[in-house]
Amino acid sequence: MASELCKTISEAKLERHKNLFLNYRNLHHFPLELLKDEGLQYLERLYMKRNSLTTLPENLAQKLPNLVELYLHSNNIVVVPEAIGSLVKLQFLDLSDNALEIVCPEIGRLRSLRHLRLANNQLKYLPAGESVGDLRELQTLDISTNRLMTLPERLHMCLSLQYLTADRNHLWSVPRHLCQLPSLNELSMAGNRLAFLPLDLGRSRELQYVYVDNNIHLKGLPSYLYNKVIGCSGCGSPIQVSEVKLLSFSSGQLTVFLPAEVKSIGTETDHVLPLQELAMRTLYNTYYRFLKDLNFLTPISLPKSLLELLHCPLGHCHRCSQPMFTIVYPKLFPLRETPMAGLHQG
């Protein structure tokens, strides 16, 4: 394996490759061959997904100065070093599915960054101050499945931000300054602890899609969302219980029946569920519901990423509460078609 790795990197150096794929190599350390001599001066995209890396080298920017995209999905990285801020040309950084507890403030120096993915980590907060707000070119920010209780105060300074995903955190509120983001097109904060939304959320014409399902304390929506599209997800499986019970919910004394588009979830016309999804649901139902313990499943029986996913489903079907692991069936409907249009509380 080591000789094959050396050969791959040597060829990339010799032939001045712009792309280098080092996924699934069982790497525990950053390959020294990448950092020898002058490094890979021409490399623009580095793929190192699904390894076992725990950190990044301090001289990464010096050896890979022209890096534009860096994919580190599914490793064991705990801390991103300050040196990451020296990758001045970096536009895409994927650190999702790691063990991140801290994101260094130097990430704000990545002035060319357009897409930042930090989903499925252990983050309790993001850098304070002007760090995140300095990412003026940032278009996509995915911080879902972490432990965040608040969002950065300066996030509204990311003037190019179009897609913000913060699902499955511990967020209690949506900062009102997010309503000032001029380019925000999609806001997803499903599966949090939201009790209310800012009354001017949706005032911007650019914001068209809002996902706030699975916030059990949320009782109403601002009137500005009247002409927007609200999203909810279904599991794709047919349901045997009453449609009336499944497709309505209450807000105070008001009972709201969801529109026809949502009722199509789980009917015979839906796509067949992938085998992986069916297997994950079967494992969950068999072991978790009856034994209440998944710790006996070793990494030998399941890959690490799937084992972790079994502990924490992507979400639950809004109709049958069945956990969903690898796929959901999103259905979108305009809020104006429901009796909740114009209702807001809090």
Side-chain angles (χ1 to χ4, degrees), residues 38-313:
E38 74 281 0
L40 277 74
Q41 300 290 316
Y42 294 91
L43 194 67
E44 294 182 0
R45 298 171 187 86
L46 177 58
Y47 299 81
M48 299 187 71
K49 298 187 290 185
R50 296 195 181 276
N51 284 289
S52 299
L53 301 175
T54 56
T55 188
L56 299 176
E58 293 289 341
N59 59 345
L60 183 62
Q62 178 185 350
K63 300 299 182 179
L64 306 176
N66 291 302
L67 208 57
V68 175
E69 299 179 9
L70 179 57
Y71 298 88
L72 296 165
H73 182 286
S74 297
N75 280 278
N76 295 317
I77 300 172
V78 178
V79 178
V80 179
E82 298 177 1
I84 194 76
S86 299
L87 290 168
V88 293
K89 295 186 179 181
L90 199 64
Q91 296 181 15
F92 194 113
L93 177 59
D94 187 355
L95 283 162
S96 52
D97 284 283
N98 276 276
L100 284 180
E101 298 178 358
I102 297 175
V103 175
C104 61
E106 284 72 17
I107 201 168
R109 291 162 50 193
L110 299 175
R111 302 302 171 84
S112 300
L113 196 64
R114 296 181 181 181
H115 306 281
L116 177 59
R117 303 193 183 280
L118 300 171
N120 201 13
N121 280 286
Q122 308 296 323
L123 297 172
K124 294 182 179 179
Y125 58 89
L126 292 176
E130 299 182 359
S131 178
V132 175
D134 286 338
L135 301 175
R136 302 299 171 86
E137 300 298 321
L138 193 65
Q139 299 174 11
T140 303
L141 176 60
D142 186 355
I143 48 177
S144 55
T145 316
N146 278 284
R147 301 177 181 178
L148 300 172
M149 298 186 68
T150 59
L151 295 177
E153 294 182 1
R154 306 280 293 181
L155 190 57
H156 68 285
M157 299 301 294
C158 299
L159 302 181
S160 301
L161 191 62
Q162 299 176 28
Y163 305 99
L164 174 58
T165 305
D167 299 339
R168 299 177 296 279
N169 278 283
H170 301 158
L171 299 170
W172 290 93
S173 63
V174 178
R176 188 174 183 182
H177 58 243
L178 288 188
C179 303
Q180 303 171 20
L181 285 168
S183 303
L184 190 63
N185 178 260
E186 180 176 307
L187 173 64
S188 187
M189 299 185 71
N192 279 282
R193 301 173 181 177
L194 302 180
F196 62 91
L197 299 175
L199 297 185
D200 47 354
L201 182 65
R203 191 170 187 173
S204 166
R205 291 185 178 182
E206 292 299 320
L207 183 61
Q208 292 297 317
Y209 301 92
V210 178
Y211 297 83
V212 288
D213 50 306
N214 287 327
N215 283 280
I216 61 174
H217 301 295
L218 188 61
K219 301 302 182 183
L221 299 173
S223 56
Y224 278 113
L225 294 180
Y226 180 81
N227 290 316
K228 308 300 180 180
V229 175
I230 308 300
C232 60
S233 297
C235 67
S237 297
I239 306 302
Q240 304 301 325
V241 291
S242 167
E243 288 285 323
V244 176
K245 292 182 180 179
L246 288 169
L247 294 168
S248 67
F249 58 96
S250 297
S251 175
Q253 297 182 350
L254 174 66
T255 298
V256 177
F257 293 89
L258 300 182
E261 287 85 349
V262 180
K263 292 181 181 180
S264 66
I265 294 178
T267 66
E268 298 78 14
T269 59
D270 273 334
H271 300 294
V272 176
L273 287 172
L275 182 59
Q276 184 187 43
E277 176 67 19
L278 289 173
M280 294 292 288
R281 293 183 190 178
T282 301
L283 274 173
Y284 183 90
N285 292 333
T286 301
Y287 295 117
Y288 184 76
R289 288 190 177 181
F290 295 106
L291 300 179
K292 302 295 182 183
D293 184 14
L294 296 173
N295 292 326
F296 74 96
L297 287 173
T298 66
I300 297 176
S301 29
L302 277 179
K304 180 173 180 272
S305 57
L306 293 183
L307 189 60
E308 291 177 349
L309 189 58
L310 205 57
H311 284 272
C312 182

Side-chain angles (χ1 to χ4, degrees), residues 306-322:
L306 293 183
L307 189 60
E308 291 177 349
L309 189 58
L310 205 57
H311 284 272
C312 182
L314 292 176
H316 291 78
C317 176
H318 77 285
R319 297 183 64 193
C320 66
S321 296
Q322 182 173 206

Side-chain angles (χ1 to χ4, degrees), residues 21-40:
F21 297 88
L22 298 178
N23 303 322
Y24 297 95
R25 298 285 185 137
N26 196 30
L27 299 174
H28 289 77
H29 305 284
F30 207 87
L32 294 177
E33 292 78 7
L34 276 174
L35 309 174
K36 283 183 179 178
D37 303 322
E38 74 281 0
L40 277 74

